[in-house]
Amino acid sequence: MNLTRLLRYNLALLLLVCLSAMAFAKPVADITVNGTVVDTKGTPLPGVSVSVKGSSAGTTTDNDGKFKITVAEKTILHFAFIGFDAREMIANPTMFVTLQESVTSLSQVTVVSIGYGSARKSDLTGAINSVNSNKFTKGVITSTEQVLQGRIAGLIVNRAGGDPTNGSSMRLRGGTSLTASSYPLVVVDGVLGADINTIAADDIESMDVLKDASATAIYGARGANGVIIVNTKRPAAGRVKVDLSGYGSFGYTANSIDMLSANQWRKYVRDHEIGGAVDYGATTDWQDAISQNSFSQGYNLALSGGNDKSTYRASLNLMQNNGTIITSKLNRLNGKINVTQKAINDRLNIDLSLSSTYDKFKPIDYNALRYMYNVNPTMPIYDADGNYFEAKGNLDYNNPVAQLEQLKNDNTTNRFLGVSKFDFEIVKGLKAVANLSFINNSFEGLYYAPTNSMTGQNDDGFGSQTGNKVNEKLMELYLNYDAKIAADHSINLVGGYSYFDSQNEFYGLSRRGFNSDTFGYYNLGSGQDYRVSDIYNGKTDWKLISFFGRASYNYKGKYMVSGTLRNDGSTKFGANNKWGLFPSGAIAWNMAEEAFLKDVNWLNQLKVRAGYGLSGNQEGIAPYTSLALSGPLNGELYYDSASDSWKNAYGPIQNNNPDLKWETTAQLDIGADFTLFNRITGTIDYYDKQTNDLLYTYRVPQPPYLYSTILANVGNLSNKGVELTLNASVYNTDKFKWNIDFNIAKNKQKITKLSNDAYTTEAVYSGLLVNRGFSNVYTQVIKEGYAPGTFWGPKFLGIDENGKFMLEDLNEDGQITDADGQYLGDAQPDFTGGLGMNFSYKNFDAGFSMYGLFGQKLLNATGMSITDDNRLPSNNVPDASLKDNLTDQARFSSYWIQNGSFLRMQYLTLGYRFKTKANSWLHNARVYVTGENLFLITKYDGADPEISLDGLSMPGIDNFITPQGGSNPGTYPKARTFSIGASLSF
Amino acid sequence: MNIMKKKLLYIPLIPLLLTVNSCTNLDEKLYNTIPTDEYGKTPQEIETIVGRAYASLRGYAGHFPLDYTYELNENASDEAVIPTRGTDWYDGGVHQRVQRHNWKPDENLIQVTWEMLYSGITIVNSIIFQVDQSSLTADQKANVKAELRGVRAYYYYRLCDMFGNVPLQIDYNDKEVKAKSTRAEVFNFIESELKDIVGKLPTSGYGKFTKAAGYSLLARLYINAEVFKGTPMWQECIDACDQVTGYSLQTNFLDNFLTENQGSVENIFVVPYDATVTLGNFKQSLALHYQSRVAFQTTADFVNGYCCEPGVYGKFEENDARRKGLLQGPLLAPDGSQLLQSDGNPVNYTDAVSLESATQSDGIRDIKYQNSKGDKWERSNDYVLIRYAEVMLMKAEALIRLGRGGQAQPIVAAVRKRANVETPANVDLDFMYDELLREFLFEEHRRTDQIRFGKFSVEGWEMNQTDKRREIYPIPTSAMQTNNKLVQNPGY
């Protein structure tokens, strides 16, 4: 039996941990150290990390800079604090330590979370980048992902459009999947899979991004997309501290498409003698009509304090964010409480925290963003009676203002995260940790389309209430053992068990046929009609059970070896592949510590490292996908003549696949971390990532298969790239400081295999359009040897004398068909990068951050659809349409595939810090102004080149209508905002 | 320290103890679905499964028969066309290729048609399997299975008609993909199935595959026997037609297509629709000009696609009741005012059509199915697959082909009399050819009829493809990729 073998295997692993613990726990005489840490001016430094060299055991100084620690005799203590040079001293019963402000102010001594533990950055063997809260954007932060944008080499944070109710997508090193999400695993305070937006950006201390397999393999089947460890601000012992901050901001639409004005439209009609063209007599700029100047505000209050036994921190965060399209907004209230308590002679640490977020938001009907380009500029918003004017009898032609104002859409999201962590020191160096957490997220959407609205008319009014509740329980139990053998050998061992259960309950209720619009969405029962699919509910449940372990060895801080192993079992996997094994190993060499480099003055630090490992992605498998399932088939009703009624038919809803499993990513990473001239620190990495067992929905013959598609593990995807991160402290004097943060990454992505013996797919045409006149037109191909999001179609050669497109007739059959398709570029950026600078002069400070994607091709499908004079006079066109020499109808070709490279000024901020007296009640006071999205450098013709590049449905297709007819968040115009804010500390 | 060490020994056992419990159990717990092999035990459950066979007739994504079989049958024939109207309806050139018989194996239209038909067959096969597994008595099983096999025969008839030689997959348990059977083998399968079940089919049940539907389908198979297997079977067709009882011509032709057309005494096999509970049937929404929303006071859009090829309207006499199923000339609002195209010109449906650059008014429109005030995008009109007039005209055609035109004349005359038109004393095949168009315009008959009359692969309006191999469609590329036993039809 597999399971038995597995149990034995895990037993062996745990015994190993246990035996190792005993073997290395040699008794040494202990001393208790009492000490104080100060800066060069003699000011006590609170929060300094005091640790035993080569292990993660240690403490931090209290508010008066004092610390107390019991260690073995002759232990070397390591003192580290952000912005100061680290120091090492031999432990004495009383110590007085002075730390020098570091010239580089860069924190090689930072402790980095690595999953089930932490390590000094200098001891890391894996590729991990971090962002500290002091680098976060100041101003409007609507999603926590945003603060990572442009900060981590190789991490694309894509915020398509400016909809405040929409988050961002993230993708590290090109992603590892075609069909599943490439969103990295988020670990908030040890809780896997928590929603990053459960935590307000103000409550985050730092985020560590685990990039290579040697770092992520400890997260097994969930680690392949990379891992983002979010460390929230911890309560600090000492004086009671109160932080208060707030901002107000003003935003407007940054980019729009220049359409014909009413007068330009009239001139066109006159010039072309279009007799019957309907001039409604008004002058309306429809883009302007649905835009608003948005005012947003946010406030944050945080308290913390405590003594050496117990500490607390509580925070409240309030945000009101209005979009630049009328009616659109997001209000968020966020609270977090964190209490820690020591017990049993300080051997037990209990850490409890509760976080809760309440969002109330109004998404818009994205159809209005299509109608605004269609509707004639002479059409008024209101008729003479003050009702919305609607010109019926034209397609996709509703009044955009009415579309937004008449449809009521009010949603709420609640996110709750409760974490309890128990950390018990069994013997010196050996800790048992229990981490129990609970996530409860719920969503509720209320919608009503009134009877007199164009959308509601079809149903005589349509109202619905939909929602879901997610309950996730996580229990993790592990042992962590730190040991030092002689002075030179450090060992860290971790081994544990994890149990995760995720349940999702969902429902939807709709009614149609309302006699009165009075009730809106609050009396659905008053609607008289419904379809059988209008009412549904259900529940899914999946579990992930894991055993994991890690061993690290460090010799003299020079040579480091680590290995991890995780065994994941998931209910979602097919019966033949219930358990997956994910090993990794890595080595690192701190070369600068070697004698032959000790004398090289300009080289302060140089570490080379290499790692290899396997990790998985199981996000592409929904619960129950491996089973043959039956159920009521929504929409498949049959007429039962005996009872003269419609009944729901039952039948198979999917094929079974007992071989279904995670997508496996094998990744090799070779990198180096360095510090030069005491001013520049940097990291360079090369990686080679091969994803096998790629999930893809294959077409299968039907019969014998019951269903026309099956989700199977077949293809391979390759990502190779190089990343460089540089942080420089150009100037660092008391008066003037200048820091530069720079990162750049190159990635090459390619589908290397799509077929195996059972399933074959040579090329799948994708990027399906449903634009008017473009039904069933494919614009992309999924093909071996090409990147996902590869554009495929006829090549544009020129415009002939009649204003018609000349396209390349590859097979020379005299007509342009699918057979004339060729490679037209792909939507994958070649380079991504970010540049940030921070300056301070006396009490003034300034900073900016830019980011960009380079080399990706985009299909400007919106432009393709609307830049066509044939749309006139009823539909509007852009100015550009009259200026091009085209008279032809819109056609898909390389003409509309454009360079999507861009560089955006993400924010620019100016601040002033007031002088505060040393013993004043006021510790810190700062005011600032911030401008966001100040400019965009691009050659792209559409509204904004930052659109979704993920997945397979429409990567790199800038289109105002999606194949599902749904919303494409990229079409919501991005805002340019200006904020003014202040922060105070008491 | 010793005590510590002893305690330490137990720590790793904590996770192990948990392990022994349910904590490594990875069985999935289901809530709103059920494993397929556990459903279909009781007669009530069987009923919901069998119902799916009928629901499947509304087809792929619930939109049967439009978009898929409809365009391939209608636009390839000399009845209908979707011209490119300015920006609209170019759609990568697919509608022009169908009109000109230049379709290719990788055409999405062909793929989804194939998949829709085979998906229906798979569904029926699996239901038959489930019925066999159930606790019904042998008699009950035979009766339920007769209907199911009838629906499957209907699907195979469509495949035989459109794709000719196709794989015969009839056993759910047979997991091997199949090579193609010849068209004659497919014919023989359908024939033997229908003959075997027709005695067990129910005699009534709206929307069901009844005995009358069984004989009608058999007649339709026989009348095309010469095309399908090379042997004419005119007498067999007549015999099958004679077995269809209980139906008669509806007094008013257009009453067969009313929004509430379930009362028709003529419709034999229909796909029932209901605008409030089912999806599908937006045939009318696809055909008429955008302004029809105003003209017919509906609440949903129209998208101005299908229209008649030039000359179709002229095939009707002026007082032919069936011509009322077509819309010609100016489109007026209920208050009598002229409705306008989006270029400002009046909507005025014309006989002339330009395939590549039509105006919004080009082409006379089909309004056979009733448009009612307040209609939504999807309609309640039940879609007619077989009606009694077809049985009558099949018999008449077969009689003519057997040289018994005299016996055919009164039958044709009865059908025409209902449409208020006189019938010549002699009805020949040429007359029948036009009469079939007049009677079954836009009912997906024309392509089959044209092939049977040898007039499909002859030059016509915007059609100069004379390759007879185009009388069956190619195996779609996607099917070739998933089943390596398939061989492409000649000519593709």
Side-chain angles (χ1 to χ4, degrees), chain B residues 125-156:
Chain B
N125 285 345
S126 76
I127 299 170
I128 289 173
F129 170 75
Q130 280 175 295
V131 170
D132 279 334
Q133 301 292 305
S134 71
S135 54
L136 300 185
T137 65
D139 269 3
Q140 286 170 321
K141 282 183 187 174
N143 289 334
V144 170
K145 279 162 67 180
E147 270 183 73
L148 290 167
R149 287 162 67 191
V151 173
R152 184 174 63 189
Y154 180 76
Y155 279 119
Y156 270 115

Side-chain angles (χ1 to χ4, degrees), chain A residues 636-816:
Chain A
E636 286 201 42
L637 293 135
Y638 67 97
Y639 177 75
D640 179 43
S641 53
S643 61
D644 185 22
S645 63
W646 291 89
K647 291 185 172 172
N648 221 332
Y650 279 63
I653 48 180
Q654 70 188 18
N655 289 318
N656 67 326
N657 180 359
D659 295 324
L660 193 68
K661 62 173 189 172
W662 58 95
E663 300 173 298
T664 312
T665 296
Q667 187 174 195
L668 169 72
D669 186 289
I670 298 168
D673 305 317
F674 52 85
T675 306
L676 310 172
F677 307 107
N678 257 330
R679 279 175 191 279
I680 301 167
T681 64
T683 297
I684 187 163
D685 276 286
Y686 163 81
Y687 60 86
D688 180 340
K689 221 163 73 156
Q690 300 295 334
T691 304
N692 301 325
D693 308 321
L694 210 55
L695 288 167
Y696 188 72
T697 306
Y698 284 82
R699 294 203 158 277
V700 286
Q702 184 194 32
Y705 287 92
L706 269 182
Y707 213 73
S708 62
T709 59
I710 191 168
L711 185 70
N713 300 87
V714 177
N716 293 355
L717 180 72
S718 157
N719 279 283
K720 291 178 186 178
V722 185
E723 293 163 351
L724 174 67
T725 307
L726 288 175
N727 308 93
S729 172
V730 184
Y731 274 93
N732 195 341
T733 63
D734 278 350
K735 270 188 180 173
F736 181 59
K737 291 187 171 62
W738 176 17
N739 293 315
I740 301 175
D741 298 312
F742 171 76
N743 71 74
I744 188 162
K746 179 181 167 50
N747 185 61
K748 182 83 189 151
Q749 191 175 32
K750 199 163 74 174
I751 297 167
T752 47
K753 211 176 85 171
L754 270 180
S755 303
N756 67 8
D757 298 341
Y759 309 99
T760 50
T761 294
E762 282 161 27
V764 183
Y765 292 96
S766 62
L768 186 67
L769 301 182
V770 294
N771 301 40
R772 226 172 138 174
F774 290 94
S775 290
N776 288 325
V777 172
Y778 293 95
T779 59
Q780 296 185 329
V781 73
I782 302 160
K783 200 175 164 118
E784 286 180 11
Y786 292 92
T790 289
F791 291 104
W792 196 268
K795 191 175 165 191
F796 170 75
L797 298 176
I799 298 170
D800 72 12
E801 63 274 20
N802 300 318
K804 303 281 182 197
F805 283 112
M806 289 192 293
L807 307 177
E808 190 173 11
D809 185 8
L810 269 189
N811 60 1
E812 297 179 337
D813 65 350
Q815 49 178 350
I816 301 298

